[in-house]
Every structure is written in C-alpha cells, then in structure tokens.
Amino acid sequence: LKDALSVSFETNVGHDYYEDQKERYEFYHSDSIRLPFDIELLNKITGGGLTPKTLNLVMAPPGGGKSIFLCHCATHYLRLGKNVLYITLEMAEERIAERIDANLLGYRIDELKNLKEESFAKKIEDCKAKYKGKLIIKEFPPDVGNSLQFRHLIEELKVKKKFVPDVIVIDYLNICSSSRFKNNSNANTYSIVKAVSEELRSIGIQCDVPILSAIQLNRTGIASTDPGMSDVADSIGTQYTADLALSIISTPE
C-alpha cells in the first residue's frame, strides 16, 4: 500500500531551498510574472502589478463602479496580449461584452448601437489582429456559481478551445456560492463568504494566475469617503484572505 500511494502524476513535490536557488533568483528578477495596471500609482503600490496565485479585491458601494473597473482591467490585459477569463454572476455575458466593446473601441455604450454591422465587424477584426490575447466571458447565476463550476469551466476551455487564462476576473465575490457550504446550510454569512474567498484564491494558486474580483461595502462604508478594511459587507474574512484590497471612492467634489 505504501508503494502504491507513492506513485503520482504530480512531479512537483515542493521547492528545494538549496537545489532550486537558481529558479528562485530568476523569480526575484522576473518582471514577466506581474500583470501591470494601466494606472501608474497602482503599479507603484503593488510593485509592478498583480502577481500569480493571489486574490485581489476592489471594494465599492452598490453602483460604485465595481463592474466598470473589472471590465476596464479585462480590456487592458487583453490589449497586453493576455488571455482573460471573465466570469460574471451579476450581468449577462452580452452586457459585459458591451462594456468591453466600448472600452476597446473607444465609443460610449449608447453609441455602439449606431455602428453599422460591417463597420463593427471590421473594428473587431482589427482588434483581433492587433491584440494577441483572447477573452472568454461566461455567465453563472448569482448564488449558484461556485469554485467547482469555475474549475470545470477552466478545464473545459483548456480541452475544447485550447484556452488557458493568464488572469481570471470574477464579478463578483459576494454573490458567488461556496462549494463547501450548501445553500440551505445553517452556516452564517461570515463563514460562507470567507469560504468563497478562500476557494477563489485556491483557483488562483492551482492555475498559477491572479484572481481579480470585487466586494460590496457595508452601510458604514457606503457613507464613508475613506472606507477601510472593516467596512466590507457580509464578512471581514475576505480581508484576511485577500492579498490586495483597493477601494473605489466617490466624494461629492
């Protein structure tokens, strides 16, 4: 039994501190592992952008710009030639694609419908030739989509479309379901939402990509012009799990 259990298809059994020093040194000096923002201050704060195996969250009130920010980042990474998987539980796939069209093509959303079909198709083909990355948008019902379904989707895309994401955007964390807690379980909101954040982060670790998502602010955070980590809705456990937390703030000015 011991001999049988020692057989595994997993070749990586850990980082050997002394033997793997060359790989570790290259990791320290590699800029290619980071996905930069197109906002220079965020690159300064993060040391160059998002890193693999991390959970990165943007906090905002309802209607505060979470999806706009996530779509903006997805478009930016597409321009960089990265493969982007955008999982949406809030809006339809077409609505997310509409926002990315507006961002990528440089039109207001209400102007897109005024484009002729031939002109629209030509602009999309130009973008396809110019930017080498791919974007897949997949919709899941809120409070139904969970990490197990997301993992299955990633495997399906790998097999059927030869698509391996460089970054995964999930819109958004609060309305994901936990694969560990049933919807009718007696677990409290804190435990469920914290579990969701841990499950999403585990996807990033397994796939070696950064996870970018969003979370709601609570009542205090909505009214605040300087919300902090304690102002998140449902569960502060998300802050214990996240590697980076940003806040979108709108002041009257």
Side-chain angles (χ1 to χ4, degrees):
L1 181 61
K2 181 179 178 181
D3 291 339
L5 291 175
S6 68
V7 177
S8 171
F9 293 106
E10 177 60 61
T11 58
N12 179 17
V13 292
H15 179 86
D16 190 310
Y17 182 78
Y18 292 112
E19 297 297 327
D20 297 333
Q21 50 83 20
K22 185 177 186 297
E23 289 81 357
R24 187 164 69 251
Y25 184 84
E26 292 175 351
F27 173 84
Y28 294 157
H29 294 81
S30 175
D31 294 327
S32 61
I33 64 169
R34 292 187 177 272
L35 288 178
F37 292 97
D38 63 344
I39 301 172
E40 194 53 43
L41 183 59
L42 293 183
N43 289 327
K44 182 178 180 180
I45 292 170
T46 58
L50 304 180
T51 55
K53 303 181 182 181
T54 57
L55 175 63
N56 308 274
L57 302 175
V58 56
M59 307 182 294
K66 296 185 296 297
S67 294
I68 290 176
F69 180 82
L70 295 179
C71 287
H72 176 84
C73 290
T75 306
H76 171 62
Y77 294 132
L78 184 61
R79 286 194 178 106
L80 292 180
K82 305 298 182 181
N83 288 340
V84 182
L85 173 59
Y86 197 114
I87 296 174
T88 172
L89 297 91
E90 186 176 33
M91 288 186 285
E93 297 170 358
E94 294 79 10
R95 288 301 181 188
I96 296 297
E98 181 183 45
R99 293 185 175 206
I100 292 176
D101 278 337
N103 203 321
L104 194 63
L105 304 181
Y107 288 90
R108 295 199 315 269
I109 289 179
D110 59 351
E111 293 176 331
L112 288 174
K113 60 184 178 183
N114 296 327
L115 289 173
K116 293 184 178 179
E117 185 175 355
E118 297 79 8
S119 176
F120 179 75
K122 176 66 167 57
K123 292 179 183 297
I124 295 297
E125 286 299 319
D126 290 344
C127 290
K128 182 179 179 180
K130 185 177 181 180
Y131 310 121
K132 301 306 179 183
K134 292 184 178 180
L135 170 65
I136 300 293
I137 305 169
K138 176 60 178 176
E139 176 185 357
F140 287 92
D143 291 326
V144 174
N146 60 50
S147 61
L148 293 179
Q149 294 176 327
F150 302 160
R151 291 174 193 272
H152 179 71
L153 170 64
I154 293 168
E155 290 299 319
E156 287 281 291
L157 290 172
K158 184 177 181 180
V159 173
K160 295 180 179 178
K161 287 184 170 289
K162 310 299 181 185
F163 175 89
V164 177
D166 296 304
V167 58
I168 301 174
V169 181
I170 300 175
D171 190 4
Y172 59 97
L173 188 149
N174 293 83
I175 53 177
C176 291
S177 176
S178 171
S179 59
R180 286 182 281 175
F181 293 98
K182 300 296 184 181
N183 289 337
N184 58 353
S185 70
N186 293 325
N188 56 43
T189 304
Y190 171 89
S191 300
I192 294 174
V193 177
K194 184 175 186 296
V196 170
S197 63
E198 293 169 346
E199 291 160 11
L200 297 187
R201 192 173 187 274
S202 71
I203 293 177
I205 293 173
Q206 186 180 41
C207 298
D208 195 24
V209 299
I211 304 292
L212 181 60
S213 190
I215 50 176
Q216 293 273 27
L217 291 174
N218 59 20
R219 293 181 183 179
T220 305
I222 292 172
S224 174
T225 57
D226 189 19
M229 293 175 65
S230 61
D231 294 319
V232 297
D234 297 330
S235 175
I236 197 174
T238 56
Q239 302 299 292
Y240 302 151
T241 308
D243 299 278
L244 173 69
L246 306 172
S247 182
I248 297 177
I249 303 169
S250 297
T251 64
E253 291 79 14

